[in-house]
Amino acid sequence: MALSAQTMTDEQRKAVALEYLKRLDRGDDFFDLFADDAQVYFPKWGVATGMKEIKRLFADVGGILAAIEHDYAYLNFAYNGDLLVVEGTSSGRTASGAQWRAGVTHAGRWCDVFEIRDFKIQRLFVYLDPDYADADTARYPWLAD
C-alpha cells in the first residue's frame, strides 16, 4: 500500500481554518474538517484526542454558549509549514444570556493554532479566556477598576 500526502498552499490551509470558523459561527457541523485522530485543546477542558473526544469537547463547550461570531475583518494569520496561527476577536452570548464582545468585555480575544495537512485539521489548540461571562473577576485585583 502506498501512502500519499496532498501538498497544500498557505491559502488552502487558511481556507480550511476559515471554513471551520464560519461553520462554528453558523452552528453547522464541522467535524468532517478534522482528521479522525486529530487533537483539540480548549482551556479548562484539556486535550481531546480522536473524534469521540473532540465531539465531547465541543458538546461541553457548546453547552455554555448560545451564539458566537468571529470578526473576520480583523483576523491575523501566521504560517509555518503545516502550522497556521490565527489571532482574532469575537462576540457572542452565553447560554445564560451574558453577552461578550472583544474590547468591551474581558472575553473575546483568542488565538488558534492549527496544524492542517491533506486538507484536514490534524491539531487545533485554542488559546483564550473561557470566562465569557466575566464571572471570575474577584481573583484579579486589576479588574476592580
Side-chain angles (χ1 to χ4, degrees):
M1 171 176 17
L3 297 176
S4 66
Q6 299 181 41
T7 302
M8 294 183 69
T9 66
D10 289 345
E11 285 302 310
Q12 288 170 321
R13 284 185 190 84
K14 178 179 175 180
V16 171
L18 286 172
E19 182 64 19
Y20 158 77
L21 292 171
K22 289 176 181 178
R23 289 187 194 183
L24 188 65
D25 287 357
R26 292 189 309 255
D28 292 347
D29 188 314
F30 50 77
F31 295 111
D32 63 315
L33 298 173
F34 287 87
D36 290 338
D37 60 347
Q39 286 190 319
V40 176
Y41 165 77
F42 193 86
K44 304 282 190 201
W45 198 98
V47 177
T49 302
M51 199 51 60
K52 182 178 178 182
E53 287 185 13
I54 291 170
K55 286 181 177 182
R56 193 175 93 217
L57 179 153
F58 280 104
D60 290 347
V61 173
I64 65 171
L65 299 178
I68 186 168
E69 184 176 329
H70 294 87
D71 302 315
Y72 298 99
Y74 303 104
L75 298 180
N76 292 312
F77 299 92
Y79 307 92
N80 184 11
D82 292 340
L83 290 180
L84 169 61
V85 177
V86 184
E87 176 191 49
T89 58
S90 67
S91 60
R93 189 177 70 258
T94 66
S96 64
Q99 294 190 8
W100 84 88
R101 177 175 298 284
V104 176
T105 64
H106 297 113
R109 296 191 185 278
W110 54 270
C111 185
D112 288 352
V113 179
F114 291 88
E115 186 175 333
I116 302 173
R117 277 189 314 280
D118 300 326
F119 296 89
K120 295 286 186 180
I121 300 168
Q122 309 292 323
R123 185 172 74 91
L124 168 58
F125 278 38
V126 177
Y127 298 98
L128 54 70
D129 182 352
D131 181 21
Y132 294 102
D134 287 342
D136 188 23
T137 57
R139 296 187 301 151
Y140 305 98
W142 56 87
L143 297 177
D145 298 333

